[in-house]
Amino acid sequence: MTADIFARVQHILTIIKEEKIENAVELESFRIKYVGSKNEIKGLFGEIKHIENDRKKEFGQLLNDVKQAAEEKYEAFKSRLLELDEVQSGTFLDLTAPCAPIPAGSRHPVSIVLNRIIQIFERIGFVVAEEREIEDDWYNFTAMNTPEDHPARDMQDTFYLKGSTKELLRTHTSSVQARLMTTQKPPIRIIAPGRVYRNETISSRSHCQFHQVEGLYIDKNVSFADMKQTLLYFAREMYGAETEIRLRPSFFPFTEPSAEMDVYWGLKNEDDYRITKGTGWLEILGCGMVDPNVLINCGIDPEEYSGFAFGMGIERQAMLQFKITDIRQLFENDTRFLKQFVGIV
Ligand code: DAH
């Protein structure tokens, strides 16, 4: 009797070891038979009471071996089938496989142009200065020699903070000039890039927010010729080595004399006629010698120091370079638009 049951269990162990499992159906029937809650092996544990006392331990050991063999085989085949399934369905994760390329991001066209401008001026010793966008009207207007009754100060043109007649969103980066001249001693040689705000109706040509780069150079004996040479260098680095510039007399409250600088764009096709209004010239920036009143307002002696300043818009230059016809595209963050600039730095 005892020998019989030992032989039976031994036989089951052999069957378990040899059983072939090739698919999920076979795995499931194996599970029901040997691993599930009503499996065959469980019933055999009930036989222990019929075994002679001195072999009970041996029998128990054998049953445990069978149970363990069944469980191990089930687990091994389960994970093997899972793996096979993943490979077939494509969800298998092969950690050694070369990865799919990560899509490259792109720089915003305004950043591209801004970075180029910054690099050009950094090469000749200008240092980047960044300042606040919420300004005090003294720095934005008064220090910059803009009279109390100047139309730019009007609510129609400038965004004031709610309930304030003093705090505003800066209308130009020229406010950085006053910030720096009141806190630093000459020589000062900075460019100040940043966002500015004006109360304008939004259209394809103008926006209520845009970017400017301000330049300021204050030292002993700085002349108009220094300014002209600096700006010529900039234009040629930015628009090509042959680029011609012209300075037209203009007016800004904070510079005297003041000028606007054009670069020669050319008149090769219809677009050029439209963009340059038939003249071939494009206005790029405003500039001039810092007005002595501005120096005095900021605590710098105009008898000892002089300087030049310039300010330019970025959006227009970005639109020219990348042939963008609607300024609003620069602020909408439409990825179909932005994706076009992948790889441009
Ligand atoms: N702040 C002027 C504007 O927003 C631009 C400008 C003109 C800046 C002449 C200057 C300058 O520094 O000298 O239109």
Side-chain angles (χ1 to χ4, degrees):
M1 169 68 189
T2 303
D4 265 9
I5 191 125
F6 264 85
R8 231 175 86 204
V9 176
Q10 203 70 55
H11 182 62
I12 292 174
L13 183 60
T14 317
I15 291 175
I16 287 175
K17 282 188 178 158
E18 287 175 0
E19 185 108 71
K20 286 205 168 52
I21 301 173
E22 270 164 9
N23 53 44
V25 178
E26 287 170 7
L27 180 71
E28 181 58 4
S29 63
F30 182 88
R31 187 189 68 79
I32 293 168
K33 223 163 162 187
Y34 303 113
V35 189
S37 57
K38 291 180 185 155
N39 71 65
E40 260 178 44
I41 307 159
K42 261 190 187 169
L44 292 168
F45 277 94
E47 299 290 330
I48 292 184
K49 56 180 179 290
H50 304 301
I51 306 290
E52 291 151 20
N53 274 345
D54 59 344
R55 297 199 70 185
K56 269 194 176 30
K57 196 174 162 202
E58 188 190 340
F59 185 72
Q61 188 67 56
L62 180 62
L63 281 181
N64 276 331
D65 288 351
V66 175
K67 187 172 169 243
Q68 202 181 336
E71 281 168 2
E72 279 175 5
K73 181 155 182 166
Y74 172 71
E75 287 304 328
F77 275 79
K78 193 170 111 177
S79 53
R80 192 190 297 175
L81 280 179
L82 203 69
E83 214 170 84
L84 212 68
D85 195 43
E86 281 174 343
V87 171
Q88 277 160 4
S89 66
T91 55
F92 175 67
L93 199 61
D94 179 358
L95 296 178
T96 64
C99 59
I102 298 166
S106 61
R107 280 189 206 277
H108 193 281
V110 168
S111 299
I112 296 169
V113 171
L114 204 56
N115 287 344
R116 285 183 191 165
I117 295 171
I118 289 172
Q119 281 168 11
I120 291 169
F121 283 105
E122 276 182 342
R123 287 204 285 276
I124 53 169
F126 281 78
V127 176
V128 172
E130 282 181 305
E131 267 297 343
R132 63 208 73 190
E133 291 176 16
I134 295 177
E135 259 304 354
D136 185 296
D137 80 334
W138 190 82
Y139 291 96
N140 195 83
F141 293 127
T142 314
M144 300 313 288
N145 203 33
T146 309
E148 288 292 337
D149 55 357
H150 195 280
R153 289 179 179 249
D154 205 282
M155 298 269 277
Q156 247 64 49
D157 288 311
T158 300
F159 291 117
Y160 286 86
L161 264 57
K162 222 175 186 168
S164 176
T165 52
K166 293 255 164 261
E167 288 170 308
L168 47 85
L169 297 181
R170 67 180 179 194
T171 61
H172 53 183
T173 44
S174 300
S175 58
V176 183
Q177 290 190 34
R179 285 270 167 203
L180 293 183
M181 284 193 281
T182 49
T183 52
Q184 293 183 13
K185 278 201 159 67
I188 298 170
R189 187 160 48 187
I190 57 97
I191 46 167
R195 205 187 288 253
V196 301
Y197 304 85
R198 283 182 203 173
N199 196 356
E200 300 250 359
T201 311
I202 298 172
S203 71
S204 64
R205 298 167 60 87
S206 66
H207 210 285
C208 59
Q209 55 171 338
F210 52 98
H211 296 77
Q212 290 187 329
V213 174
E214 191 80 10
L216 175 70
Y217 180 34
I218 307 280
D219 204 347
K220 289 182 174 146
N221 302 317
V222 178
S223 69
F224 197 90
D226 294 328
M227 179 182 84
K228 197 173 159 190
Q229 204 54 39
T230 303
L231 295 177
L232 178 63
Y233 155 81
F234 163 72
R236 294 195 162 164
E237 290 291 306
M238 192 74 184
Y239 292 98
E242 306 295 316
T243 303
E244 294 296 332
I245 62 164
R246 73 177 184 190
L247 291 170
R248 278 180 294 104
S250 184
F251 174 79
F252 299 103
F254 31 88
T255 43
E256 183 59 38
S258 303
E260 277 170 312
M261 186 181 93
D262 301 339
V263 293
Y264 191 69
W265 183 257
L267 278 176
K268 288 186 256 3
N269 54 42
E270 242 177 75
D271 269 352
D272 297 342
Y273 271 87
R274 186 177 48 79
I275 295 169
T276 67
K277 298 196 183 93
T279 64
W281 292 93
L282 266 185
E283 187 212 317
I284 295 295
L285 54 83
C287 59
M289 301 305 291
V290 178
D291 192 302
N293 284 339
V294 174
L295 294 174
I296 292 167
N297 289 344
C298 296
I300 292 174
D301 181 0
E303 298 295 326
E304 196 180 355
Y305 292 104
S306 58
F308 64 77
F310 56 87
M312 61 182 111
I314 309 305
E315 274 74 7
R316 208 162 88 92
Q317 296 190 62
M319 289 169 77
L320 286 168
Q321 295 213 356
F322 299 118
K323 297 196 162 55
I324 299 164
T325 48
D326 190 328
I327 192 172
R328 289 170 291 200
Q329 290 189 297
L330 295 170
F331 296 97
E332 280 166 358
N333 281 336
D334 184 334
T335 51
R336 290 168 304 178
F337 170 75
L338 296 173
K339 267 186 198 156
Q340 301 174 100
F341 302 94
V342 171
I344 305 176
V345 287

